Amino acid sequence: MKYRINIIDDEKNLNDLVRTYLEKEGYEVQSFYTYDEAHAHIDDDVHLWLVDIMLDKKSGFDLLNEIKAVKPEMPVVFMSARDQDFDRIIGLEKGSDEYITKPFNMKEVLLRIANILKRVYKNASGMVEIDGYMIDETKRKVLLNNEEIELTTKEYELLLYFVKNKNIAISREQVLTKVWDENYFGSDRVVDDTLRRLRKKMPEINIKTIYGFGYRLD
């Protein structure tokens, strides 16, 4: 599972440095340098926000309120050059998950972020990555670059069946039984037709046709 993180800090050099370290750790990162830029992305499909308290227009506290209004469970980590108990208390009261004081040690920051993600998403086994696509089983959504791909119910169930049987050769009869119903009496061409639509919507998905037998997701 590849976690996605948004950063807002108007200090560009520090922002870029933090992003570089996070990307080296395997995170997918977006950087914003102004409050308005960040605010336009508060409903992004990300796993964590890293927010500087002192911003150009409003404060990180204001942005936290906006983020939590849209996504109450979103983890938010504050960064601040002000090491004051008052700021720390306000941040915790507003729902921040961590408070990091500048200047900070990047190894410590990475460790704290990893611990938060592990704690918050310990039960998030519903997220699966395959061929660049993210499948959210809990929401029955498929995403590519944070954009949802609209699938029909059968297209989604067919995709999920392949994912759960990755690298296994599956016969057309097995697909009909598991995805449609063992009592299905229609044409078995429905599998090929649904798969054709799925491939059109998800061209990067590596589902191979095994002629005379069935299919395999590699």
Side-chain angles (χ1 to χ4, degrees):
M1 178 176 178
K2 193 167 187 176
Y3 290 110
R4 296 177 297 279
I5 298 175
N6 280 356
I7 304 173
I8 168 62
D9 193 322
D10 55 8
E11 190 177 340
K12 188 177 187 304
N13 290 339
L14 180 60
N15 191 322
D16 294 345
L17 177 67
V18 174
R19 185 186 71 240
T20 299
Y21 271 93
L22 289 171
E23 288 175 341
K24 285 181 179 179
E25 289 294 307
Y27 298 112
E28 185 178 314
V29 185
Q30 281 194 102
S31 284
F32 307 108
Y33 306 103
T34 69
Y35 182 92
D36 287 342
E37 285 177 352
H39 188 268
H41 290 265
I42 58 174
D43 60 350
D44 278 2
D45 187 23
V46 298
H47 298 94
L48 181 141
W49 274 85
L50 198 54
V51 178
D52 185 27
I53 290 180
M54 302 297 291
L55 300 175
D56 58 317
K57 272 191 174 181
K58 299 182 179 179
S59 74
F61 297 134
D62 295 314
L63 186 63
L64 172 67
N65 289 337
E66 297 291 343
I67 293 171
K68 293 290 187 178
V70 176
K71 297 191 174 183
E73 305 303 317
M74 176 65 65
V76 176
V77 175
F78 275 135
M79 302 181 292
S80 177
R82 305 186 304 181
D83 186 14
Q84 297 182 12
D85 288 340
F86 181 70
D87 287 339
R88 191 183 302 271
I89 291 171
I90 290 178
L92 292 173
E93 285 180 342
K94 288 182 175 293
S96 71
D97 294 79
E98 189 62 89
Y99 186 104
I100 302 170
T101 304
K102 303 176 186 177
F104 42 69
N105 183 298
M106 275 308 306
K107 288 185 178 180
E108 181 183 355
V109 173
L110 293 173
L111 182 60
R112 291 191 184 191
I113 287 175
N115 287 338
I116 291 170
L117 291 171
K118 188 183 300 184
R119 183 183 74 245
V120 174
Y121 298 103
K122 61 183 177 181
N123 295 319
S125 57
M127 290 294 288
V128 178
E129 183 176 5
I130 186 78
D131 294 332
Y133 300 98
M134 294 300 299
I135 303 171
D136 187 339
E137 292 186 54
T138 59
K139 298 180 181 178
R140 293 178 66 88
K141 292 170 61 176
V142 178
L143 306 167
L144 178 64
N145 299 325
N146 295 331
E147 295 291 331
E148 183 176 359
I149 298 172
E150 296 290 342
L151 299 181
T152 66
T153 298
K154 286 304 178 189
E155 288 166 357
Y156 175 82
E157 291 175 354
L158 179 61
L159 171 65
L160 204 59
Y161 183 59
F162 281 127
V163 169
K164 291 184 180 297
N165 293 276
K166 193 173 186 291
N167 298 318
I168 298 174
I170 304 170
S171 70
R172 184 181 283 104
E173 290 72 26
Q174 286 176 294
V175 175
L176 276 172
T177 299
K178 296 294 185 180
V179 178
W180 273 260
D181 190 273
E182 59 183 8
N183 297 317
Y184 176 77
F185 292 110
S187 169
D188 62 1
R189 291 294 302 173
V190 69
V191 179
D192 292 327
D193 292 341
T194 306
L195 180 56
R196 185 177 64 252
R197 296 196 305 270
L198 186 62
R199 284 170 169 158
K200 185 175 181 180
K201 293 179 180 180
M202 302 175 66
E204 300 302 318
I205 199 75
N206 191 23
I207 300 174
K208 288 183 167 58
T209 297
I210 305 173
Y211 293 100
F213 180 75
Y215 320 92
R216 185 183 66 246
L217 172 63
D218 290 337

